Amino acid sequence: MTLAVFACDPAQSRGRRFAQAPAPTRSEYQRDRDRIVHCTAFRRLVYKTQVFLNHEGDLFRTRLTHSLEVAQLGRSIARSLGLNEDLVEAIALAHDLGHTPFGHAGQDALNECMAAFDGFEHNLQSLRVVDRLEERYPQFDGLNLTFETREGILKHCSPAHAQALELDEPGGVGRRFLDRTQPSLEAQLCNLADEIAYNAHDIDDGVRSGLITLEQLQEVALFDDFRRQTLAEYPHLQDKEQGRRLLYETIRRMLSAQVYDVISATRQALEAAAPASVEAVRQLAPLVQFGQEMRAKSQVLKKFLLHQLYRHPRVMHTTGQAGQVVRELFAAYLDRPQEMRDGFLARFDAARGVPDEVSAAARVVADYLAGMTDRFAAHEHERLTGCQLLS
Ligand code: MG
């Protein structure tokens, strides 16, 4: 398959921070993807959640299945647009590596704990995982990924954090947040594929959990249009017993429509802007996009999920407890760093005596906590506090 002129070409990569000889058979982005799949943080995604906690049910999405869905949607769109599928896959599989246990509740709680020490942000943490925290190579910390994969992983970044990154790596991945330029199309695509994936699977998980119903979803045009269309074609799905097939067929149609919409709207934007290179793409406004109508419909769905699912009292109750688990664990490890495993005590001790040692020590605890799976965090909390909040 030939790459478009505006796609990232591994032969033109800006390279890795530590120079390495090329692999005999794999491209640089394939190699990135392979490194990600084999890393420890990737395996942990299977026990980390998005909305529901890992122990709430075996069929809910975890961050691992979510990342696979993002990679699938991303690759499928990338192929149609002539973008680099390997790069899209690498970014998609790595995009959630820095997430704390317990979804956004965990991230918010950890950010609170780190308020006096530059905060905690999951995008920045994903970059930290692949740049520093993974310990797999004799020559360097992290996975030593290409610039393009790292650029895609760092989706958002505050100006203060971008300044710090720029100091550490001049002209590196922090730069675009200071210059206000865009990342590659492959990175832009992963953002949108992420959104398409969670909007669809949160409907599925929400209905399965009983927190939202097919009736409630009738107020969401993006969903309801396809539900009606499905019923018109397969009237036997009216039967309550067939509810699951109706749900899946509706979601399938909704996903396809969004994918085709992104392909056609992005193609139009690319034709109009006619970028002749990846560098040209970086200087333009974002080009990977929904058409206007789909964008509006997708906003309605997002709003629905926010109010009916993410802020559902049952979800809020568990996430409230999850936040408490993270806050109490943070305090416990700061107080008793010897309770941390896997070399984190050594990292904590190494933080003593460096300039700003309190902040450096807190960062070690944040790294340790962020790496935990839901169940490990819950067990650790029970072990260290004697109190069972999540079970
Ligand atoms: Mg995601």
Side-chain angles (χ1 to χ4, degrees), residues 131-298:
D131 278 359
R132 298 176 187 228
L133 296 177
E134 283 287 327
E135 293 179 312
R136 313 186 69 78
Y137 293 87
Q139 322 91 300
F140 43 76
D141 285 336
L143 304 178
N144 195 28
L145 303 180
T146 62
F147 173 87
E148 294 75 22
T149 301
R150 296 172 59 241
E151 170 191 53
I153 291 173
L154 192 62
K155 188 159 75 173
H156 307 291
C157 188
S158 69
H161 287 142
Q163 285 287 4
L165 287 172
E166 179 65 15
L167 272 179
D168 181 51
E169 183 192 10
V173 288
R175 187 75 232 170
R176 75 179 169 93
F177 300 96
L178 303 170
D179 293 348
R180 297 177 174 274
T181 54
Q182 300 303 317
S184 70
L185 294 168
E186 286 81 356
Q188 295 181 28
L189 172 54
C190 284
N191 282 348
L192 199 49
D194 186 20
E195 188 183 320
I196 296 174
Y198 64 67
N199 283 339
H201 63 52
D202 288 351
I203 293 181
D204 181 2
D205 287 351
V207 172
R208 186 198 321 275
S209 66
L211 298 188
I212 53 178
T213 61
L214 282 173
E215 289 68 38
Q216 274 178 305
L217 277 160
Q218 290 180 21
E219 66 182 74
V220 181
L222 182 56
F223 181 88
D224 202 50
D225 291 352
F226 293 111
R227 187 190 63 91
R228 286 164 191 272
Q229 199 188 71
T230 303
L231 281 176
E233 260 177 73
Y234 303 101
H236 71 283
L237 296 185
Q238 286 282 12
D239 183 353
K240 271 251 175 283
E241 292 288 297
Q242 300 292 332
R244 192 163 289 179
R245 283 182 206 266
L246 174 60
L247 175 68
Y248 288 147
E249 182 59 22
T250 305
I251 292 177
R252 179 168 20 252
R253 288 173 186 228
M254 202 180 92
L255 274 174
S256 298
Q258 289 178 94
V259 165
Y260 298 138
D261 184 86
V262 171
I263 293 170
S264 106
T266 304
R267 220 173 242 155
Q268 277 180 34
L270 283 165
E271 273 163 24
S277 67
V278 184
E279 275 319 306
V281 164
R282 292 193 171 105
Q283 304 305 319
L284 294 163
L287 294 172
V288 178
Q289 53 192 269
F290 278 132
Q292 235 172 13
E293 198 189 328
M294 188 59 88
R295 165 63 42 203
K297 282 184 169 173
S298 154

Side-chain angles (χ1 to χ4, degrees), residues 50 63 66-67 70 95-96 99 155 194-195 198:
Q50 301 261 109
R63 295 225 175 253
H66 162 72
S67 301
V70 176
H95 86 281
D96 271 354
H99 267 288
K155 188 159 75 173
D194 186 20
E195 188 183 320
Y198 64 67

Side-chain angles (χ1 to χ4, degrees), residues 53 55 101-102 325 329 372-385 387-391:
L53 299 191
H55 64 260
F102 314 130
V325 166
L329 275 179
M372 290 182 182
T373 62
D374 293 4
R375 59 180 189 177
F376 184 71
H379 287 154
E380 277 291 277
H381 180 264
E382 202 182 326
R383 181 176 78 83
L384 295 172
T385 66
C387 146
Q388 192 178 13
L389 275 181
L390 300 159
S391 54

